Every structure is written in structure tokens, then in C-alpha cells.
Amino acid sequence: MSAELATPAAEEKKEFWRWQENTWFDESKNWRDAKIITCGIDVGSVSSQAVICCDGELFGYNSMRTGNNSPDSAKNALQGILDKTGMKLEDIHYTVGTGYGRVNVPFANKAVTEIACHARGANYMGGSKVRTILDMGGQDCKAIHCDERGKVTNFLMNDKCAAGTGRGMEVIADLMQIPIANLGPRSFDVETEPEAVSSICVVFAKSEALALLKAGYTKNMVIAAYCQAMAERVVSLLERIGVEEGFFITGGIAKNPGVVKRIERLLGIQAVETKIDSQIAGALGASLFAYTLMQKQAKAA
Amino acid sequence: MITAGIDMGSRSIKVVLLEEIKVEGAPQLQYAVKKAYMMLPGELDADEAAEKAYNEALQAAGLKREDVAAVYVTGAGRSQVKFATEGVTEMTAGARGANYMFPEVRTVVDVGAEEGRGVKVDAAGKAVDFAGNEKCAAGAGSFAEAMSRALQMTLKEFGEASLRSDKTIPMNAQCTVFAESEVVSLIHASTPSQDIAKAVLDAVASRICAMVRRVGIEESIVLIGGMAHSAGFVDALKKALDVEKILLPEMPESISALGCALLAAERQH
Amino acid sequence: MIANNGYKDGSGEFYISIDTDKCIDCSADRACLTACPKGMFEIITDDYDDEVACVKKSFTRSLAFDCSECKPSGGYTTLPCTSACTPGAIKHSW
């Protein structure tokens, strides 16, 4: 009996905030056939991604948690995909770095802000109809308008506070002792939709969540109340620049249907869907920027 | 006449019982604090906790409920207190209480567990302008408390430790959640705890100072709320506001409750 | 491009918007750089290789307070930055 109990006990110690790291590449393609191979590296505050594009088309990516320093995180993210595809650093023609740590990507040829990269990435992932992008990152939240080519026309960022960011979601996952990937589905497993927690601030929302549990809310209801609060929070951010048709969500929280569905409900608009991992939008945009820069150089030569 | 003031803080409940004293020939009424009482609500909900704190305060003062002419209540949870005569805002209550302790006050800085604010006060003790950040934990006591816990110190020790440091480590994050990770990395880098304590209290002070600056810094300045107990914080705030002196009342956490009781008494006439 | 520099929090929405299309060919000789008593503005090369004004990173999270000298909560009439920017690229949200 005691031996059987050992496994769940060990599981209790796990880190509930920890989200899935992953690597993918298009096995139907051979990168050796490509004329131009470009790379985009997004070193964010929480996660780092490396994306490889062959002739301006997505080929492969690796997404992982950011380590203690930017250069190593950039290297590790890239190494993950190089190992998988058998590519070498020398095979890459041009690299663009983006994200918080963009200036610390040692092998990057250029740094571009994450705002421009997310717009470009979303334009590729959701198509040219994408006009409004909401990026919910680990430590910030951005609202972006772009034109049909993915060029930014209006943007704003909120990096002052953890509310409405992935970090805020991680705090709740830990508090509820529920793996972060389960938060979204569980938030819909409620009989009645509770009201949003009233606090904007993550610190106060935490004590409010505990009070709700004490008052007899189920965990699922608390999660629903929190997802609703987060949705309301980012929608209020979007209001400043407005939402146009062709609405696209990038960043880790795009994977949380508990927040996404509630945002769609509040806005009365459906987000454009994509099969590509929403977390790589920035790095993908950077890789596409790199491709454009290569083409420009080729024309000039 | 006896009146009561209750401050429903986010962390603790403060009750002040006040007696009005008529002195023959004196132009103004005088008051004496019969009892100042503080209680942590624990598991209780707001109304029950207020009831309990109020009863305990009355008992300690040897009074009955019918002895009290009016009960005024302030604080974030004030609307839930059903037995109160009237509710007043924290700004009004804090301004009146500070003015009673120090009639020369023009700026009240109130730093409690979850709120921080600057209030501009006129000569009559009325709040005329205020700036606060009620929905953000940065610039409030709970941040300093959480950080002191990370260093395994009480808030008092934390404040004292910060006075031993002469280093200035700037904290970049505005948000408590992000600042926590900054402190963790400072701990990992073996930064002496007094330097971390100073960095945290400097950060809280600079945020509070920024709020006060919005209403304008005018002397005399009075600091109320629980954070006034932290000598390190008072020192950091003095430097941030660039002033020589900050007035500290006795029982700083009960000043808003006192203000309530005073307002209750004054409005009975 | 309209670049909104600033933040939103519990106390309100604090953004300085810069319309970069009006900013590229500055006819005011970059007067914003010296007009702001705090020196909040800088000229950067943005992602589309345009030279435009931008609020320095160190100020974007505390605008409500940094702007308080020109804009006390009691009200204001003119702001040095918006008056100096004759092309009308700079706007405040609050």
C-alpha cells in the first residue's frame, strides 16, 4: 500500500506552473534543398524560441524555458532544433534576435523588437487578413495593429504589471496545485459562470482566490473567476487601440482556452485559428524578417 | 458622549473608542481615547470580524453597546459592516485623525498592508486631494512583508537591518510579482540581507513618494498606517521625499479609526 | 505607426502616443528632446529603419509620476512636450 502511494506523493512536489517545452520540424522537407536558411531567436522573460525558415517558409522550431542568462538561453534554444534536424550553425545564412534578451543573442546579425516580430509572425500564421494581434507573453501583454503585410500601424504594451500575463497564470496554477495546461479546460467545468475576481493585481487576486475557496467555491470556479478577470483585463487593454476583424492571439496564453474563449465572448469576435504553436510567433517573425533582409541584400549586390 | 471608529483594513481591524470631554471655559470640545484595539480577522468574514473586534474593544473599555452614540467605519471592507452608523472614506478618516494628532499637518502619507496613498489636507483637517494605487500591491506593506519573510526576518528586524546598509541597489520592476524574482536572484547572489532590506524599502518608498508627489509635497508630513513602525521605511521615505522630518503619531495604525471616531463625535452636534 | 509608450494599471491609463509618420521628417528640429524637463525622449532607429522619437525605457513604467511636474493632479493648461512638437506627433492619453 505504501509503495503504491509513493508515486502520487512524488507527483505532489512537481511544479504546476511548468508548461510543455517542445521541438518540431517539417519532415516532408529537406533543408539542404533551400537556397536561403534563416533563423529567428526570441529570448523572452519566461520562454525562449528558435525558429528556422527555409526560403521564407517555416521549417522547424524549438521552444523552451529561459535560463539564467540570455546568451545561453539563445544558444540552447537553437541547439535543440539544430540537433533534431542535423543542421549546423554555419548552415544558417542570417539570424535575427528579438524579445527582452534580443541584444544578447551572440550569433544574431540584427535585433528587431518583439512588437514588429509578433506582427510579422501573426501575419504568416493567420494570413494577411490579420489586423489586430494580442500577444500575451510571460511578463507583458501587447496589443498590435498591422497592415496586410504584417507591418505594425499601432501598438501598445503593458509591461508594468503581472496582471494579464503568463506569469499571473503561473501563480494561479501553483496556488491551485493544478498543472497550467489543465487550467483552461477546468475553468469551463462549472455549473454557473462565477463573477471575475475583482482585483487587477495578481498579489491581491491571490488572497481573493483563497477567500473564495474558503467561502465554498470549487477550485474550478476560482479558476473560472480568474480566467474571466484576466480576459477582462486584456480586453480593457485592447480597447485603447480598438479591435478590427482578423483578430489573432499569440504567446503562451493563446493555448489557454479558458482565457481565449472568454476574450472572444467579451469582444464578440472569433480569433483566427492556426495550427502552428502560438508561442513561436515572435521567433517566427524574426526568422521572416531575416529572410526579407537577405533578399534586400541580394538585390543590392 | 462616547463614539466609536472602526477601520476595516485588509489585514487587521482597528477599533477606537473616544470620549468627548467638556471643559468649562474651553472654546473647543476635547476628546480622550478610551481604548484603541486591534484584531486580526482570521477565518471570520468582514461583518462577523467587525462585530467581534467591536465587542472585545467595548469589553476592554468596560462599556456597553448602548453607551456608544455613533459608530463610524472606514477601510476597504466598510460596506460589509451592518451595525455601523455611517461609512467614511479612508482619505477623510486618515486626514481627520492625523490633523487631530498634529494640527499642522498638510500631507498625510498612509501606508498599510495592501494600500498606499498620499493625501493633501487643509488647515481644518479635510482631505482636499489624494493619489493612491488601490489596485496594485507595489508600494504597500505586504510587499515588504513578503520580502522580509523570504529573508526569514520580522518586518521590524527587516527595517532595522536596512538601517545598517549604505548600499543602493535599484530594483527595476514596478510590479511586486516581478520584484519578487529580483529579490530571489539577489538572495542567490549572496547579497547581504541588510542590503536587500534597504533595496526593498527604498523601492516601496520611491513608489509611495511618486504618489505623494502627484498631490504635492507640503510640510508638515505625517506618516500613518502599519508601515510607520518600520524605522528603515521611515528613513527611506524621508530620503525619497527629500524632507528633514516626518511626523510619526503614536499607534500609527489606528489613526484612521481615530479619525472615524472624531468624525462620529463631531457630527452628533 | 502609432507607438503607445506607457502602461495601464489600477489607477488609470498612462500612455504617451507618438505618431511616427508625423515624426520621421521632424519640422520642429527634434524639439521634444530638450522640451521635456525630465529628458524622457530619445531618437531611435525603429524596426522599419525610420528615425523617430521614443520615450526612454526607464520612464515607460512610471509616466503618471514622471509627468506629474508638468501635470499636477489639480489640472494643467499646456505641456512642454506637446507644445514643442509642432508636427503634432506627441499625444497624452490622460
Side-chain angles (χ1 to χ4, degrees), chain A residues 132-136 141-143 145 156 158 163-165 200 226-244 247 249 253 258-269, chain C residues 8 13 15:
Chain A
T132 308
I133 300 143
L134 173 67
D135 169 42
M136 297 169 79
C141 183
K142 305 175 203 75
H145 273 194
L156 66 87
N158 207 5
T165 69
I200 288 175
Y226 192 80
C227 287
Q228 179 67 22
M230 192 172 254
E232 285 176 12
R233 164 92 177 151
V234 295
V235 165
S236 82
L237 191 75
L238 278 167
E239 271 164 9
R240 173 148 184 80
I241 67 166
V243 179
E244 290 172 30
F247 175 57
I249 306 177
I253 300 201
V259 178
V260 172
K261 289 266 155 38
R262 286 180 175 85
I263 293 173
E264 289 176 339
R265 208 183 289 162
L266 286 167
L267 291 174
I269 206 170
Chain C
K8 178 172 189 164
E13 205 174 61
Y15 283 102

Side-chain angles (χ1 to χ4, degrees), chain C residues 8-43:
Chain C
K8 178 172 189 164
D9 72 0
S11 57
E13 205 174 61
F14 305 96
Y15 283 102
I16 293 180
S17 325
I18 299 176
D19 186 340
T20 56
D21 295 334
K22 291 181 182 165
C23 184
I24 294 167
D25 299 311
C26 183
S27 54
D29 204 17
R30 304 293 187 200
C32 57
L33 294 182
T34 46
C36 175
K38 291 245 175 187
M40 267 186 216
F41 297 96
E42 62 180 341
I43 304 297

Side-chain angles (χ1 to χ4, degrees), chain B residues 129 132-133 135 172 174 210 214, chain C residues 9-11 61 64-65 68 73:
Chain B
D129 199 355
N133 204 354
K135 285 169 181 159
N172 300 315
Q174 286 284 334
R214 281 177 82 188
Chain C
D9 72 0
S11 57
R61 292 174 191 172
F65 309 124
S68 63
S73 52

